[in-house]
Amino acid sequence: MSTVSEVPNADWDLWHTMRAMNEQLSRELDRQLQRDAGISQADYGILVTLFEAPERRMRTGELGDLLAWEKSRVSHQVARMEARGLVKRVVCESDGRGTWVTLAAEGKRALLGAMRENATAIRDLFFDELDEGEKQTMLRATSRVLAKLNAACEAEAANASAGAA
Amino acid sequence: MSTVSEVPNADWDLWHTMRAMNEQLSRELDRQLQRDAGISQADYGILVTLFEAPERRMRTGELGDLLAWEKSRVSHQVARMEARGLVKRVVCESDGRGTWVTLAAEGKRALLGAMRENATAIRDLFFDELDEGEKQTMLRATSRVLAKLNAACEAEAANASAGAA
DNA sequence: GATGGAAAGAAGATGTGTCAACCAGTTCTG
DNA sequence: CAGAACTGGTTGACACATCTTCTTTCCATC
């Protein structure tokens, strides 16, 4: 009747289950991170990225590119984290406009605890439940969908800029 | 070297791909919904739920249960949507504490457009990319993970209330 | 029918994300 | 070298989610 005709019912099951799983997973990981290390997922993303960067520091713009965040979001987030002593901002010698973001002592401490706990939680909640075949299938499938999404996204961006020009 | 040892590298690929896919999917659907119907995913969730309810109306508490939202979030969201003319709040005759939330004309209009577009987008971006076997495997796998998450979540809640008591 | 506790919901405070305007350095061009 | 155009980054206003109270109503019991 009034339900949507283009997608079979069985497919909707998968859709809803998948979305619910992801939502719950995010929520649970966030909760654990907050409880055990006192940081949010956003904080964690920044810290990990800095940690993996050469010399443990990064320009805010690059940080934004890597995390796919708006630059204003990076700026706000970093400001808050600096206030809490997790990172430090240093002026960039070579380019007077730029700033380096680096790990502060407290940030390093929080990160090291968080990394292990986070990985453990992901293993327990997600990977332990899957067998090898399922993992392979899911990797193949999600990779394909992701590739398509990225293509669509780029096409759109190209379109937008063409329209604007 | 300093990467996490508990999860094999191949598994991390799956993890990151899956998360990226879901993020992108959310973003893209949200964007389309916003552009074509002028509403957010949150708005859409409320509208669909109301639409599927008997008599097209629902108590805020039930709405929260179905969407797994906190009641305060429901309250704020509904207040905003009411201000925009998407829904209406009506006092409940049978229980003086309660309120019914119903679809307003503008909400119905927005919803009808959105439903079809949203389903089409999901099909195009997601289902068209998957074969039957993959879908079945993913449904089985995600269902299991979700069940475990829910179990973990309940155990935790029980724990918390036990601790509080 | 008064009283105390539980439930439904609203409202305020706070932290975070987004968007647009903005500022200061930088680079390009005449 | 002056000024235009650009770029990296910040700021402020606003939308939203979450947490914590507050208000009203309901219901059980005395």
Side-chain angles (χ1 to χ4, degrees):
Chain A
M1 26 134 290
S2 69
T3 58
V4 187
S5 58
E6 318 207 15
V7 179
N9 281 349
D11 283 3
W12 280 124
D13 278 355
L14 170 56
W15 178 253
H16 289 126
T17 308
M18 206 192 56
R19 302 236 98 199
M21 179 190 77
N22 268 282
E23 178 121 345
Q24 289 264 74
L25 226 31
S26 285
R27 188 188 304 270
E28 182 61 21
L29 290 176
D30 212 355
R31 234 187 37 71
Q32 286 196 19
L33 219 45
Q34 192 70 54
R35 192 194 53 194
D36 299 335
I39 60 178
S40 68
Q41 294 244 42
D43 299 328
Y44 185 62
I46 296 266
L47 294 176
V48 170
T49 312
L50 287 179
F51 186 72
E52 287 171 350
E55 315 202 29
R56 304 278 139 91
R57 66 179 193 172
M58 198 171 260
R59 296 285 294 274
T60 57
E62 204 182 348
L63 208 44
D65 289 346
L66 250 66
L67 294 167
W69 286 12
E70 330 238 329
K71 57 184 186 170
S72 132
R73 180 177 174 189
V74 178
S75 181
H76 277 135
Q77 182 72 35
V78 168
R80 271 175 253 137
M81 290 175 73
E82 187 176 30
R84 290 189 297 154
L86 294 171
V87 299
K88 274 193 301 249
R89 273 190 286 205
V90 210
V91 289
C92 176
E93 330 71 45
S94 62
D95 185 338
R97 299 165 298 183
T99 46
W100 290 105
V101 186
T102 80
L103 280 175
E106 176 60 16
K108 212 174 296 177
R109 195 200 56 69
L111 175 63
L112 293 179
M115 275 174 66
R116 182 168 191 98
E117 282 154 11
N118 197 53
T120 304
I122 292 173
R123 182 165 52 66
D124 289 351
L125 293 172
F126 184 65
F127 288 117
D128 277 3
E129 216 48 45
L130 308 177
D131 64 41
E132 278 310 313
E134 285 170 337
K135 288 189 213 168
Q136 283 175 25
T137 302
M138 286 178 78
L139 178 56
R140 270 201 314 275
T142 53
S143 299
R144 245 182 294 127
V145 174
L146 184 57
K148 181 163 191 177
L149 273 166
N150 284 330
C153 193
E154 275 167 30
E156 212 163 74
N159 229 337
S161 65
Chain B
M1 33 131 299
S2 69
T3 57
V4 186
S5 58
E6 319 206 17
V7 179
N9 281 350
D11 283 2
W12 282 124
D13 279 356
L14 170 55
W15 179 253
H16 289 126
T17 309
M18 204 192 58
R19 302 236 98 198
M21 180 191 77
N22 268 280
E23 178 122 347
Q24 289 265 75
L25 225 32
S26 283
R27 189 189 305 272
E28 182 61 22
L29 290 176
D30 213 357
R31 235 187 35 70
Q32 285 196 21
L33 220 45
Q34 192 71 55
R35 191 194 54 196
D36 300 333
I39 61 178
S40 69
Q41 293 243 44
D43 299 329
Y44 185 62
I46 296 268
L47 293 176
V48 170
T49 311
L50 286 180
F51 186 71
E52 289 172 347
E55 316 203 27
R56 303 279 139 92
R57 67 182 190 169
M58 197 172 262
R59 295 284 294 273
T60 58
E62 203 182 349
L63 208 44
D65 289 345
L66 249 67
L67 295 168
W69 285 13
E70 329 236 332
K71 57 183 190 170
S72 133
R73 181 177 175 189
V74 177
S75 179
H76 280 299
Q77 182 70 35
V78 168
R80 270 174 253 134
M81 290 175 74
E82 186 175 32
R84 289 189 304 160
L86 294 172
V87 299
K88 275 194 298 245
R89 275 191 284 204
V90 204
V91 290
C92 176
E93 332 70 48
S94 62
D95 185 340
R97 299 167 300 181
T99 47
W100 290 104
V101 186
T102 79
L103 282 174
E106 175 61 16
K108 211 174 297 178
R109 197 201 53 70
L111 175 63
L112 292 178
M115 275 175 67
R116 181 167 190 98
E117 281 154 12
N118 196 54
T120 305
I122 292 174
R123 182 165 52 63
D124 289 351
L125 293 170
F126 184 65
F127 288 116
D128 276 3
E129 218 46 49
L130 307 177
D131 64 41
E132 278 310 314
E134 286 171 336
K135 287 188 214 170
Q136 283 173 24
T137 302
M138 287 178 78
L139 177 56
R140 269 200 315 274
T142 53
S143 298
R144 244 182 296 128
V145 174
L146 185 57
K148 180 164 190 175
L149 274 165
N150 284 330
C153 195
E154 276 166 30
E156 212 163 75
N159 232 337
S161 65

